[in-house]
Amino acid sequence: MKRRLISSVMASIFFLGFSCWVTATPLPTPSSNLSTQSAIQDEAGFITLEPMDFYFHAGGYFSRLQLRSSEAKIWYSFKSADEDAAEKPLFIFFNGGPGGATSSGLMSMYTSRWTVDNSIDSGGGDRYIANPVSWTQLGNLMHVDARNTGFSYDVTGNPANMAERRMEFNAQNYNAYIDGADFIRVLFRFMANHPELRDNPVVIVGESYGGIRSTVMLFILHNYRDFANDVEFFQAPSLVEEIQAHYNIVFPGYLDSVVPREVISRQFGRQILIQAAVSRGSQRYAAAQILEAEGSLIYQIAGEEGLDFIPCRLRSQPCDSWDVIYDFILEEAGRDYYMVARPRDWLWGFFENCAHLLGFTENLSQMTGVDATQIPGLYASARANAYRAVDPAEVSGWPVEDLPGFTQMELQSQRRVQAARSPADMGLTPLAETFGTLQPWDFFFLDLNYDANYAHWSNVAIQRGYIVPMSFNDDFGRMFLKNVSTVKTFFTCAKYDIVVYSPALPLALSYFTGTLSAAIHDTGLWPGDERAGRIKLHYHSGVYPDQPDLQTRYIRFPFYDRSCHAVSLTEPVELFHDVSVWLNEDN
Amino acid sequence: MKKLTVLIAVICLLLLATYPRGVYGAGGKFQIEFYDGYATINASGLNLLPQSDRLIRDFYFPQHLEWKRINGFIASWSGESDGEYKELKGGYPFGLRLKYDLSPTLAVSLGFRSLSRRQDSAPSYGYTQSGGYTSYLDRRRYQQYTLSAKGTAALLGIHLKTKSSGRFSVEGHVSAGPLFARCNYVSSWYSELIDVFSSSTPLLYTESGSLTQEGDGTGIAVDAGVRLNIALGSSFGVFVGAGYAYQSASNISGIGREDRNGIITDWDGQWQIKNETLSAFWGQQLIRFPTSYWPEGGTAPGEDFNLDLSGFQLQVGLYFRF
């Protein structure tokens, strides 16, 4: 999910289109743990990731690209399950971008005990309410901000040196694989500190680009030995050692041996993907085929607006299908590409509000369930070597016109939303008043870190050809399909999101003819379903040597007919219900 | 050594002009010889190293960038390279030999010969790709690129020579003995990726690296040749000859070290040929090179590595009889 950069200390909000002043609603006294029955306490703070050596190779060892990630302080917020926490699964949530924060995304949108109010038609969207469908009813929750997003920050020797900061935004810190490795390490460090949860089932919940992250995490976890024996092009021996050490504890019967995938799935066997990218190239291609066809959602929007939509395939001049679609939705129809049933920038307003709310100490305490003033890593005195951006005076360290096209659209949305806002006094304590003034290149919170986003798209690994940029790389799709063979998968299908147009997913997966003989969208209502939808995957016989009997798998694929890119925001009750039922289903 | 040989030869020639004619070939039955020369080296196994480095460069840059240009990922690219990854082609043997005449036409000898060659290169290259969001220059400069080999043989020989006809005689020989060989590969480089259009922060990535692999082994040396002896006096002279030396060592083993931006790996092992296939979305390239780095669980060795220093030799030398 794409976010944008804000200056959280000084920014104020006027919610676009609704003339609502941000209220200075007195906040309830933060409770360190709303669960009186759970013995595991809520907590929040930073997990330190030390530098990690890894490399990319194309089959040659001495010609590899050797890299070392930088030290990172990864922000997490843990909330224990309402009941029997030690027996419940651990949900790990993250948004996408890449470079997008989870704290102002999933954490703030109907998964935690508190949530931003989605009742925008009645003047909400700018305050917290108690979440009637808190996922703490399902298990323990861990919301994690990715490296240098949200509250997470990186560390370098001389952060005042802009040239040094710029070199930090490169492949050693930003690529899909080190990103997945970061989250695995964070998870393991957390579990190591909480032995009571260490062997509990883990449910990965990823939104948007978080689908790629979930795919990479699970593929590494399930095929871990191949990431230290030159089989996979991403090699991280110390990560594999850490994974083996974890498995030695959780699966003692396989001490220092290769743990089979079906055994690993006892712990890492579920993923919930919300409007997720899992094979971006195939998904974009398939979505364009569907959206350009007569009668598609785009044509419906055109009809509502009294406009004519001329798809790229019918134009005489060479064009890009997605340039045409986005231009039509944004510029001609004036709609939000994340939520085409609403005006342009609609969803941005929510993200902006969530980010703004987190800029106050009281709100941070409320959302995390802990006293934020007790978190050492937030204090300016503790982050002398912290940095968040290349050039604090610019949105990103690169000229705006050099940013990827979609990122430029995000920037334009940001500027429109900001231009419509007016300062408002919430009567709360800005983070800077509590934790001190940060260096110019450091920020408490970044909703979307453009420098991190850009580094994922352009870095030395991509320049040297080790990584194909996500838009063109179908390796993730192959990894996703292999994951699904051992991981129960829930995938939302929102009607109004064209950034990740989920109805195209079955078609996109069908392109993987080397793995599947068919991917069929079952739109029937199964017993127990309130919302229909499954994808039946037919695997080729023997496609995975360790699964000779594999024939079919189902992806739970419920259709949300009122939803946008952020399904948890627009249909939170429905999503919660479907997830609850699915968790108890057989695959 | 070469200069010394030349100097001695000049002195001998001067003496030749003044030394009274007398009986050549006189003196004792022992003869000590010193010689120098030039030898071709068939170091095909060792030369796989610079060949593979060249193939790697071409794979990641010209081939990759051309694919990107053809497929519209970049608008254009350009590149230049300076210097080359030089191979070992020849060496300079020198040796000494103690010979004993069993008869006026037959002699035996014990000698030592050393053949060494060091080839230094100074390659560098830079490739610029343009289009997309900006232009990037990816370049590398080697501070050192050295390939070297050395073989020292202890040789027992049999020499057959014609009877002296005045000053000149022709001699053929065959000798053989153990070979003690060494090879060395050292490269150190500095790479950087630059954003061409950024004036404030152009440097995006740097790598300082080095790779050193040493190896020692033993083998056998056999050589044969003919030479023309030219007596300058009753007990000394010069000779010039040609021949072929077979000298090949196997079981080469030694230490290695790699440093990549301070990430150091040390190892020791046996040199063997590694076959790697570079595979990327723009194509494939097979590379083969000798190495002593065989980590557990990694690629299995392809074939044995022999340090082959065989080749034709030219020799010029001095002898003294006593």
Side-chain angles (χ1 to χ4, degrees), chain B residues 178-243:
Chain B
L179 174 71
F180 304 92
R182 169 170 294 179
C183 58
N184 204 12
Y185 168 82
V186 178
S187 71
S188 65
W189 65 88
Y190 178 74
S191 296
E192 53 188 11
L193 179 67
I194 294 169
D195 179 347
V196 174
F197 292 143
S198 173
S199 57
S200 58
T201 55
L203 198 56
L204 301 177
Y205 169 80
T206 64
E207 180 183 72
S208 292
S210 67
L211 175 61
T212 301
Q213 296 191 90
E214 300 174 358
D216 294 288
T218 57
I220 188 167
V222 179
D223 70 359
V226 293
R227 76 187 206 193
L228 176 67
N229 299 314
I230 306 171
L232 300 178
S234 61
S235 60
F236 70 95
V238 297
F239 62 88
V240 57

Side-chain angles (χ1 to χ4, degrees), chain A residues 102-162:
Chain A
T102 306
S103 296
S104 55
L106 285 169
M107 191 183 82
S108 298
M109 295 185 180
Y110 289 89
T111 60
S112 306
R113 294 194 182 91
W114 296 91
T115 178
V116 71
D117 177 11
N118 71 352
S119 303
I120 55 174
D121 292 336
S122 58
D126 55 355
R127 60 197 169 97
Y128 292 138
I129 60 171
N131 182 10
V133 286
S134 171
W135 289 40
T136 51
Q137 299 171 62
L138 302 176
N140 304 284
L141 312 181
M142 190 175 175
H143 295 88
V144 180
D145 285 334
R147 181 184 289 261
N148 230 333
T149 70
F151 289 104
S152 297
Y153 63 90
D154 267 22
V155 172
T156 191
N158 183 15
N161 185 321
M162 190 165 79

